[in-house]
Amino acid sequence: ASSWWERHGVDCAILALSLLALPAGFLCLRAHNILAFATGITILGVCHYTLTVKGSHLATHSALTESKRWSKILMIFFLEVCTAFSAEFAKFNHVNLHHVYTNVVGLGDSSTWKVPLLNRYVYMFLGPLLVPIITPLVALEHLRKEEPRTALRTLGFICLGLYSQYWLFMNVSGFKNPSSALACMLLTRSLLAHPYLHVNIFQHIGLPMFSPDKKPRRIHMMTLGVLNLPRQLVLDWAFGHSLISCHVEHHLFPWLSDHMCLKVKPLVSKFLHEKQLPYNEDSYLARFQLFLSRYEE
């Protein structure tokens, strides 16, 4: 019974606003002023994560439109052009593995985020800064397994996205030195890297895990192994409700948009409490302290 605006419009509007705000961010960097420069970096960084995290996540789940054709186009745009990652690889790992086998060991247990060779401080504080560099490298490594047509398309769109941003820094922001433009690219792509990595591990790792041959019913798998974080203005905007305060709702109804997850949140919470099922919630700070104190475990 929800309107198109509720189902798709609100989130499409947020993504459209992020695209429209990009010129202001690039132009702010032309000014020889620290405040203007910081404003430009903030605008570009927040917009980058809105497009690459929120946009990619919703497009992967076909939550932005009911058209299969447009869903595929949007997925390629947000993942390959904006994020510099393979659309097919991302969809398979996230939708076919993580969502189907949430917290099942060896399948959907978020093991892609585990880097045992790093100690807790390097992983939690320095590791996120490497995410923008590692992302395209992982994509390139995976392209060897794709069929040539798909690999060429992905490689072309990744190069287009990266070069376009570099060109805008050089020609719109007015950078004279290529190394300065590349440094700004890394800075904007790293602005919210810390909460991005943290959110991905806080909401599943440390919760009950299941063996492939003894996994519970879906309702138990999704409620036991998924956690909601509190609402936060910047992260709600850049990452979306389905990755922050409505992650339980998202795992129960993965095809819903961020706005719809927020709409059904009271119903889901009420239902799970009535059925005496877990509804995991914890603060960002509490999860951060937990991971620092029990990192090896």
Short mmCIF file of all heavy atoms in Angstrom, two decimals, residues 232-253:
data_model
loop_
_atom_site.label_atom_id
_atom_site.label_comp_id
_atom_site.label_asym_id
_atom_site.label_seq_id
_atom_site.Cartn_x
_atom_site.Cartn_y
_atom_site.Cartn_z
N GLN A 232 22.33 7.54 13.19
CA GLN A 232 23.33 8.61 13.18
C GLN A 232 23.16 9.39 11.89
O GLN A 232 23.14 8.79 10.81
CB GLN A 232 24.74 8.03 13.28
CG GLN A 232 25.01 7.26 14.56
CD GLN A 232 26.42 6.72 14.62
OE1 GLN A 232 27.32 7.27 14.01
NE2 GLN A 232 26.62 5.62 15.35
N LEU A 233 23.03 10.69 11.99
CA LEU A 233 22.65 11.52 10.86
C LEU A 233 23.53 11.30 9.63
O LEU A 233 23.03 11.03 8.54
CB LEU A 233 22.68 13.00 11.28
CG LEU A 233 22.28 14.01 10.19
CD1 LEU A 233 20.84 13.76 9.76
CD2 LEU A 233 22.45 15.44 10.69
N VAL A 234 24.86 11.41 9.80
CA VAL A 234 25.77 11.31 8.65
C VAL A 234 25.76 9.90 8.08
O VAL A 234 25.67 9.70 6.85
CB VAL A 234 27.21 11.72 9.05
CG1 VAL A 234 28.16 11.48 7.88
CG2 VAL A 234 27.24 13.17 9.47
N LEU A 235 25.82 8.87 8.95
CA LEU A 235 25.85 7.49 8.47
C LEU A 235 24.51 7.07 7.89
O LEU A 235 24.46 6.29 6.94
CB LEU A 235 26.27 6.55 9.61
CG LEU A 235 27.66 6.78 10.20
CD1 LEU A 235 28.01 5.66 11.17
CD2 LEU A 235 28.72 6.89 9.11
N ASP A 236 23.41 7.56 8.45
CA ASP A 236 22.09 7.29 7.87
C ASP A 236 22.03 7.80 6.44
O ASP A 236 21.46 7.16 5.55
CB ASP A 236 20.99 7.95 8.70
CG ASP A 236 20.66 7.17 9.96
OD1 ASP A 236 21.13 6.02 10.09
OD2 ASP A 236 19.93 7.70 10.81
N TRP A 237 22.58 8.99 6.23
CA TRP A 237 22.55 9.61 4.89
C TRP A 237 23.49 8.88 3.93
O TRP A 237 23.11 8.53 2.82
CB TRP A 237 22.94 11.08 4.99
CG TRP A 237 22.96 11.79 3.67
CD1 TRP A 237 24.01 11.83 2.79
CD2 TRP A 237 21.90 12.53 3.07
NE1 TRP A 237 23.66 12.57 1.68
CE2 TRP A 237 22.38 13.01 1.82
CE3 TRP A 237 20.60 12.85 3.47
CZ2 TRP A 237 21.59 13.79 0.98
CZ3 TRP A 237 19.82 13.63 2.62
CH2 TRP A 237 20.31 14.09 1.38
N ALA A 238 24.73 8.66 4.36
CA ALA A 238 25.76 8.12 3.46
C ALA A 238 25.67 6.61 3.27
O ALA A 238 25.94 6.11 2.18
CB ALA A 238 27.14 8.49 3.99
N PHE A 239 25.30 5.87 4.31
CA PHE A 239 25.26 4.41 4.22
C PHE A 239 23.84 3.89 4.04
O PHE A 239 23.65 2.82 3.48
CB PHE A 239 25.87 3.77 5.47
CG PHE A 239 27.36 4.03 5.64
CD1 PHE A 239 28.01 3.61 6.79
CD2 PHE A 239 28.09 4.71 4.68
CE1 PHE A 239 29.37 3.83 6.96
CE2 PHE A 239 29.45 4.95 4.84
CZ PHE A 239 30.09 4.52 5.99
N GLY A 240 22.86 4.61 4.58
CA GLY A 240 21.48 4.17 4.47
C GLY A 240 21.01 3.45 5.72
O GLY A 240 21.80 2.82 6.43
N HIS A 241 19.71 3.55 6.00
CA HIS A 241 19.14 2.92 7.20
C HIS A 241 19.35 1.41 7.22
O HIS A 241 19.55 0.82 8.28
CB HIS A 241 17.63 3.21 7.27
CG HIS A 241 17.30 4.67 7.30
ND1 HIS A 241 17.77 5.52 8.28
CD2 HIS A 241 16.56 5.44 6.45
CE1 HIS A 241 17.32 6.75 8.04
NE2 HIS A 241 16.59 6.72 6.95
N SER A 242 19.32 0.79 6.06
CA SER A 242 19.41 -0.68 6.02
C SER A 242 20.78 -1.19 6.47
O SER A 242 20.92 -2.36 6.83
CB SER A 242 19.09 -1.21 4.61
OG SER A 242 20.02 -0.71 3.66
N LEU A 243 21.79 -0.31 6.45
CA LEU A 243 23.12 -0.72 6.93
C LEU A 243 23.41 -0.23 8.34
O LEU A 243 24.42 -0.62 8.93
CB LEU A 243 24.20 -0.19 5.98
CG LEU A 243 24.31 -0.88 4.62
CD1 LEU A 243 25.40 -0.23 3.78
CD2 LEU A 243 24.58 -2.36 4.77
N ILE A 244 22.56 0.62 8.89
CA ILE A 244 22.83 1.18 10.22
C ILE A 244 21.76 0.72 11.22
O ILE A 244 21.92 -0.27 11.90
CB ILE A 244 22.91 2.73 10.16
CG1 ILE A 244 23.96 3.16 9.13
CG2 ILE A 244 23.28 3.28 11.54
CD1 ILE A 244 25.37 2.71 9.42
N SER A 245 20.65 1.44 11.29
CA SER A 245 19.67 1.19 12.34
C SER A 245 18.60 0.17 11.97
O SER A 245 17.80 -0.21 12.81
CB SER A 245 18.99 2.50 12.75
OG SER A 245 18.30 3.06 11.64
N CYS A 246 18.58 -0.26 10.72
CA CYS A 246 17.56 -1.21 10.26
C CYS A 246 18.18 -2.43 9.60
O CYS A 246 17.64 -2.97 8.62
CB CYS A 246 16.60 -0.52 9.28
SG CYS A 246 15.77 0.93 9.91
N HIS A 247 19.31 -2.88 10.13
CA HIS A 247 20.00 -4.00 9.49
C HIS A 247 19.24 -5.32 9.69
O HIS A 247 19.25 -6.18 8.80
CB HIS A 247 21.43 -4.13 10.03
CG HIS A 247 22.35 -4.82 9.08
ND1 HIS A 247 22.53 -4.41 7.78
CD2 HIS A 247 23.17 -5.90 9.25
CE1 HIS A 247 23.40 -5.21 7.18
NE2 HIS A 247 23.80 -6.13 8.04
N VAL A 248 18.62 -5.48 10.84
CA VAL A 248 17.77 -6.67 11.06
C VAL A 248 16.63 -6.68 10.06
O VAL A 248 16.35 -7.71 9.41
CB VAL A 248 17.23 -6.69 12.51
CG1 VAL A 248 16.22 -7.82 12.69
CG2 VAL A 248 18.36 -6.81 13.52
N GLU A 249 15.97 -5.53 9.91
CA GLU A 249 14.86 -5.42 8.95
C GLU A 249 15.34 -5.69 7.53
O GLU A 249 14.64 -6.35 6.75
CB GLU A 249 14.25 -4.01 9.03
CG GLU A 249 13.47 -3.73 10.30
CD GLU A 249 14.33 -3.51 11.54
OE1 GLU A 249 15.56 -3.33 11.41
OE2 GLU A 249 13.77 -3.52 12.65
N HIS A 250 16.53 -5.20 7.22
CA HIS A 250 17.08 -5.40 5.88
C HIS A 250 17.33 -6.89 5.59
O HIS A 250 17.06 -7.36 4.49
CB HIS A 250 18.39 -4.62 5.73
CG HIS A 250 19.15 -4.94 4.49
ND1 HIS A 250 18.66 -4.70 3.22
CD2 HIS A 250 20.38 -5.50 4.32
CE1 HIS A 250 19.55 -5.09 2.33
NE2 HIS A 250 20.61 -5.59 2.97
N HIS A 251 17.82 -7.62 6.58
CA HIS A 251 18.08 -9.05 6.36
C HIS A 251 16.79 -9.86 6.27
O HIS A 251 16.76 -10.91 5.63
CB HIS A 251 19.00 -9.59 7.44
CG HIS A 251 20.45 -9.50 7.08
ND1 HIS A 251 21.17 -10.55 6.56
CD2 HIS A 251 21.31 -8.45 7.13
CE1 HIS A 251 22.40 -10.16 6.31
NE2 HIS A 251 22.52 -8.89 6.65
N LEU A 252 15.75 -9.39 6.90
CA LEU A 252 14.45 -10.07 6.79
C LEU A 252 13.76 -9.72 5.48
O LEU A 252 13.08 -10.56 4.89
CB LEU A 252 13.55 -9.69 7.97
CG LEU A 252 13.99 -10.24 9.34
CD1 LEU A 252 13.18 -9.60 10.45
CD2 LEU A 252 13.85 -11.76 9.39
N PHE A 253 13.93 -8.48 5.02
CA PHE A 253 13.29 -8.01 3.78
C PHE A 253 14.32 -7.29 2.91
O PHE A 253 14.29 -6.07 2.79
CB PHE A 253 12.12 -7.06 4.12
CG PHE A 253 11.13 -7.63 5.09
CD1 PHE A 253 11.11 -7.20 6.40
CD2 PHE A 253 10.23 -8.60 4.69
CE1 PHE A 253 10.20 -7.73 7.31
CE2 PHE A 253 9.32 -9.13 5.58
CZ PHE A 253 9.29 -8.70 6.90
#
